[in-house]
Amino acid sequence: MTLIELLLGSVMAVIVLGSTLTVLAATNDNARHQQTASDNQDAARIYLDRLARQLRNLASPSLFSANYQAQPYAVDSASNYDLVFRVVGDTMPPGSLNTANVKRVRYCLDNAQPSQTLYQQEQTWTNAASNMPPALPSTAACPGTGWTTTKKLVSVAANRVGGQNRPLFTYNSSDPQRITEVHSEIFVDTTPGTPAKETRLATGVTLRNQNRVPIAGMTATATAGHHAILNGSGSEDPEGMPLTYQWYLDPPSPLPDCGGTPVPASCIGTGVVFEKDLTAGNHRIVLLVKDPAGLPATDEDTRLY
């Protein structure tokens, strides 16, 4: 073999080796990207499973208060990218005054570019009864300050990447007191802006422990002699619980507490049906109903008697 042939053989060997290393590196990069995508998809699935489990077991605090003076709902705040609610913790610290072991849980999406991180924050307490929880920590930023713990759950949530607006959370009501369904949809993309496809994961939960606002419904009938027949049978509680009925005549705003002493003059009676002799003229009659947890609703009627 001549020197030239040896050199040519060496060059060919280097070229083949280089090509092999390039293919190997590309294969390793692809495997690494696939593993990263798989890890983030698994993290997203764990998040969805945890969220669904917690939402199915909401800690409606009124369930743990003998006098029903607790806040009667478990969802503290709800927006497209931020959800705060209360659940029962797994283990109660010895001597805790929070006998129901209620805690707040927050899931929120940090909108920083290019990576968007999904966080879980928790607020726990032992020095306050479950029916008198401490103030809600800050939700002005994600993650916020004042929370007991903060965890990163998914580091490549792509719901808002590139100016998109795909809600992480959607609800069946804009009022936290009336929310009974929560849907969560997360898009996972480890390489946003590339042809690689993102992964969509979603779940939906019905809040079986959420106490909902009652509905107040009344009719007022004026009869001879300026007599009023008031009927609140159009009221109902979504959970089928019994309601209390308080009737007001020309009340101020806000409605006064009829349990005080002396009883305010605008408090005229209780019961589903109530009758009252009035003075001649226009009168505003208000019905206030409350469920066993103290959640209120009102209806009113103004007419000439």
Side-chain angles (χ1 to χ4, degrees):
M1 177 180 295
T2 65
L3 179 60
I4 293 177
E5 290 174 335
L6 180 61
L7 290 174
L8 286 174
S10 299
V11 170
M12 292 298 295
V14 169
I15 292 174
V16 171
L17 178 60
S19 299
T20 302
L21 292 175
T22 300
V23 171
L24 181 61
T27 301
N28 287 338
D29 286 343
N30 185 53
R32 186 172 65 254
H33 287 313
Q34 288 182 347
Q35 185 62 49
T36 300
S38 178
D39 290 344
N40 279 277
Q41 290 167 18
D42 287 343
R45 290 187 182 94
I46 293 172
Y47 145 70
L48 290 173
D49 289 344
R50 180 184 303 159
L51 173 70
R53 183 172 63 253
Q54 290 174 330
L55 287 174
R56 290 191 185 101
N57 294 281
L58 281 184
S60 190
S62 60
L63 299 176
F64 306 106
S65 173
N67 60 9
Y68 291 104
Q69 294 304 304
Q71 193 78 295
Y73 51 89
V75 178
D76 284 289
S77 66
S79 64
N80 287 346
Y81 300 99
D82 202 330
L83 173 61
V84 182
F85 56 92
R86 304 178 206 180
V87 298
V88 177
D90 295 329
T91 305
M92 184 173 67
S96 174
L97 296 179
N98 182 0
T99 55
N101 204 29
V102 175
K103 65 180 179 180
R104 282 191 177 101
V105 177
R106 180 193 188 198
Y107 291 98
C108 63
L109 183 64
D110 178 13
N111 193 32
Q113 297 287 352
S115 175
Q116 297 192 343
T117 303
L118 175 65
Y119 285 92
Q120 177 187 346
Q121 296 191 282
E122 291 189 358
Q123 180 195 31
T124 58
W125 59 89
T126 59
N127 59 348
S130 56
N131 62 326
M132 296 184 64
L136 177 68
S138 174
T139 58
C142 179
T145 58
W147 294 84
T148 308
T149 61
T150 298
K151 296 179 182 178
K152 288 184 178 181
L153 300 181
V154 182
S155 59
V156 288
N159 291 54
R160 305 190 74 177
V161 165
Q164 298 183 89
N165 185 22
R166 298 178 291 186
L168 180 64
F169 302 108
T170 55
Y171 317 92
N172 66 332
S173 175
S174 59
D175 182 353
Q177 298 183 23
R178 297 182 184 274
I179 292 174
T180 59
E181 295 179 4
V182 177
H183 297 269
S184 182
E185 182 178 47
I186 184 170
F187 295 87
V188 177
D189 191 351
T190 57
T191 55
T194 69
K197 291 184 177 180
E198 62 188 7
T199 301
R200 172 188 173 275
L201 300 168
T203 191
V205 180
T206 298
L207 310 186
R208 60 190 180 191
N209 287 344
Q210 174 77 317
N211 186 23
R212 291 171 286 171
V213 179
I215 299 170
M218 62 161 287
T219 60
T221 303
T223 62
H226 319 301
H227 188 72
I229 302 175
L230 311 176
N231 191 323
S233 61
S235 307
E236 62 177 324
D237 181 73
E239 288 78 40
M241 300 298 289
L243 298 173
T244 61
Y245 300 78
Q246 176 65 56
W247 297 95
Y248 294 86
L249 175 63
D250 299 323
S253 182
L255 295 175
D257 179 8
C258 295
T261 303
V263 177
S266 60
C267 301
I268 59 173
T270 60
V272 179
V273 178
F274 183 74
E275 298 188 26
K276 177 74 173 177
D277 288 325
L278 307 178
T279 58
N282 280 299
H283 291 287
R284 172 174 168 255
I285 296 177
V286 178
L287 170 63
L288 169 67
V289 299
K290 290 184 178 180
D291 70 2
L295 201 58
T298 61
D299 193 15
E300 62 180 75
D301 179 89
T302 300
R303 66 179 60 236
L304 178 65
Y305 291 88

